[in-house]
Amino acid sequence: MSRVLVVEDDPQLVRALVINLQARRYGVDPAPDGTTALRIAAARQPDVVLLDLGLPDMDGTDVIRALRGWTRVPILVLSARRASDEKVAALDAGADDYITKPFSMDELLARLRAAVRRRDDVSPAPETTLVMTDGFTIDLLAKRATRAGHDVRLTPTEWHLLEILVTNPGRLITQKHLLAEVWGASQSNKTNYLRVYMAQLRRKLETDPAHPRYLITEPGMGYRFES
């Protein structure tokens, strides 16, 4: 049984989440504020955290940072905040996904299942070097990409960008983070760089670059690799 820590101060929403999660055989620990959430997280070691940002005692991004100080547990933000800078701040702090309220329970449960699968699929050994999809293969150790049995020539910048994405499968990586990692912190507002290079990667790796299957854009937020 997977354990879910629900950090939310709206009693009605907490009740709905508890009922739906328990019906699907999740263990649920509710927490009405950030202080309680951090205490429960340390004691119960949840498999996934569902986190509201507007908590009565602290901002949800502070909870994310505190958790990231010692755990890689998947964190799914549930928030009414729709501004892209709010979303980016939560993702940069270490959240894995961002779901805007109001949301459908089916969508939440699907994203929760995906988070649990990704957590279960992560190998504890760092030696994993081969990323395989139905469309292409990435050998991280040899720095080699192949598609349909043929080598794909990637520039160093393309490779660096791809490497960050494929080593974080399913996780939304913000534009700011990618720009800082690949081009340096001084270029963190040059989003046109990302559009150009992601388009090049899709042309080289995706079967249908106009409708990518693996290199996904989250408009205004960032990119994710879906394996």
Side-chain angles (χ1 to χ4, degrees), residues 11-12 32 49 58 67 94 108 120 138 146 219:
Q12 288 185 320
V49 176
M58 66 176 72
L67 289 171
L108 171 62
D120 292 343
I138 306 297
T146 57

Side-chain angles (χ1 to χ4, degrees), residues 4-225:
V4 181
L5 173 58
V6 176
V7 190
E8 171 62 62
D9 64 338
D10 179 342
Q12 288 185 320
L13 179 54
V14 171
R15 184 172 182 273
L17 289 169
V18 169
I19 290 172
N20 278 276
L21 291 170
Q22 288 181 340
R24 290 158 178 84
R25 303 185 63 80
Y26 289 99
V28 186
D29 294 307
D33 54 55
T35 303
T36 305
L38 294 174
R39 177 174 52 79
I40 292 176
R44 302 299 296 265
Q45 302 284 312
D47 297 293
V48 182
V49 176
L50 301 182
L51 173 69
D52 183 24
L53 294 181
L55 300 173
D57 61 339
M58 66 176 72
D59 194 83
T61 54
D62 293 326
V63 177
I64 297 169
R65 292 189 189 98
L67 289 171
R68 284 292 172 255
W70 61 274
T71 179
R72 296 307 306 166
V73 63
I75 301 173
L76 280 63
V77 170
L78 311 178
S79 180
R81 301 178 186 176
R82 296 174 175 270
S84 61
D85 59 340
E86 298 270 16
K87 297 177 181 179
V88 168
L91 292 162
D92 278 341
D96 295 273
D97 205 347
Y98 195 107
I99 304 168
T100 304
K101 297 178 181 177
F103 51 83
S104 76
M105 194 60 67
D106 285 344
E107 178 188 4
L108 171 62
L109 291 168
R111 296 203 191 197
L112 180 62
R113 289 192 298 270
V116 171
R117 282 197 304 273
R118 289 196 296 271
R119 183 181 189 277
D120 292 343
D121 288 345
V122 170
S123 170
E127 296 87 28
T128 302
T129 61
L130 202 61
V131 178
M132 303 182 69
T133 74
D134 291 338
F136 54 86
T137 299
I138 306 297
D139 187 331
L140 295 169
L141 188 61
K143 292 191 178 297
R144 180 187 181 198
T146 57
R147 178 182 171 194
H150 299 287
D151 285 348
V152 177
R153 294 179 64 85
L154 299 178
T155 68
T157 300
E158 289 169 348
W159 179 264
H160 193 179
L161 187 57
L162 180 64
E163 189 175 37
I164 294 170
L165 292 169
V166 301
T167 53
N168 293 277
R171 182 173 182 182
L172 178 57
I173 310 297
T174 63
Q175 295 174 345
K176 179 180 176 182
H177 179 82
L178 288 169
L179 286 164
E181 287 291 320
V182 179
W183 286 277
S186 63
Q187 306 299 316
S188 61
N189 63 338
K190 304 288 189 180
T191 55
N192 57 306
Y193 290 4
L194 285 174
R195 287 194 293 272
V196 170
Y197 277 90
M198 288 301 295
Q200 290 174 187
L201 282 172
R202 286 172 177 144
R203 282 196 296 271
K204 293 181 177 183
L205 296 173
E206 294 275 6
T207 302
D208 184 358
H211 301 91
R213 160 69 179 83
Y214 304 103
L215 302 172
I216 308 301
T217 300
E218 292 284 356
M221 297 169 64
Y223 300 86
R224 77 169 85 229
F225 168 67

